[in-house]
Amino acid sequence: GDVLIDIGSGPTIYQFLSACESFREIIATDYMDRNLKEVETWLKDEPGAFDWSPVVKLVCELEGDRKKWIEKEAKVRRTVKRILKCDVTWSNPLEPLVLPAADCLLTFLCLESISKDKDNFCCVLKNISSLLKPG
């Protein structure tokens, strides 16, 4: 696909390690500014960034070539194009931005952790679905 939006990225990049092989562009999102800053710090390879290299090496090993971890980090850094504030309780979770619809959404435990009940979960799921291409 072309574009993947990760909803509730947290302060992590592990979810991008395999996704960068299948998408031209990844958009990381989170509600917490601190999480967005942590991802940005790693993407810019700034001093003090968390060392994800053991995880990157493991993913590369699982993908068949542990020695390609430096290239994998570089590919993730090239593929994650935007880091955006997101609030899944809004009908447009990226408000005030309106982005072209994405090919794929990814979320790990974000909706479950903020939903107080099944109805609320369905509501936030509908909200993030607005970011996705039909079909």
Side-chain angles (χ1 to χ4, degrees):
D2 286 329
V3 179
L4 176 138
I5 299 176
D6 182 35
I7 303 293
S9 300
T12 64
I13 58 98
Y14 68 87
Q15 64 275 32
F16 309 139
L17 297 175
S18 293
C20 74
E21 302 299 335
S22 298
F23 293 92
R24 181 183 49 78
E25 177 181 352
I26 296 173
I27 300 170
T29 73
D30 203 89
Y31 180 78
M32 305 278 299
D33 292 331
R34 185 176 206 168
N35 289 343
L36 297 172
K37 179 62 179 155
E38 187 66 32
V39 171
E40 181 180 31
T41 298
W42 185 86
L43 290 172
K44 291 182 175 181
D45 202 13
E46 293 178 353
F50 185 80
D51 180 13
W52 285 98
S53 63
V55 176
V56 178
K57 289 175 185 176
L58 175 61
V59 168
C60 288
E61 183 177 328
L62 293 170
E63 291 178 349
D65 193 350
R66 184 180 175 93
K67 296 177 194 159
K68 299 252 182 194
W69 71 274
I70 292 173
E71 292 92 335
K72 173 72 82 175
E73 286 189 347
K75 187 165 189 176
V76 170
R77 287 184 169 108
R78 284 191 315 271
T79 307
V80 178
K81 308 278 190 195
R82 299 177 87 174
I83 305 167
L84 302 175
K85 183 84 170 180
C86 178
D87 187 335
V88 298
T89 65
W90 295 347
S91 59
N92 171 10
L94 301 177
E95 190 174 307
L97 298 176
V98 177
L99 300 181
D103 298 292
C104 183
L105 297 180
L106 186 65
T107 184
F108 293 108
L109 299 175
C110 173
L111 306 185
E112 296 88 342
S113 65
I114 64 107
S115 299
K116 59 185 176 212
D117 56 35
K118 184 179 175 184
D119 288 339
N120 187 240
F121 179 85
C122 290
C123 182
V124 295
L125 183 60
K126 181 180 178 189
N127 291 345
I128 69 166
S129 296
S130 70
L131 303 172
L132 192 58
K133 286 180 182 175

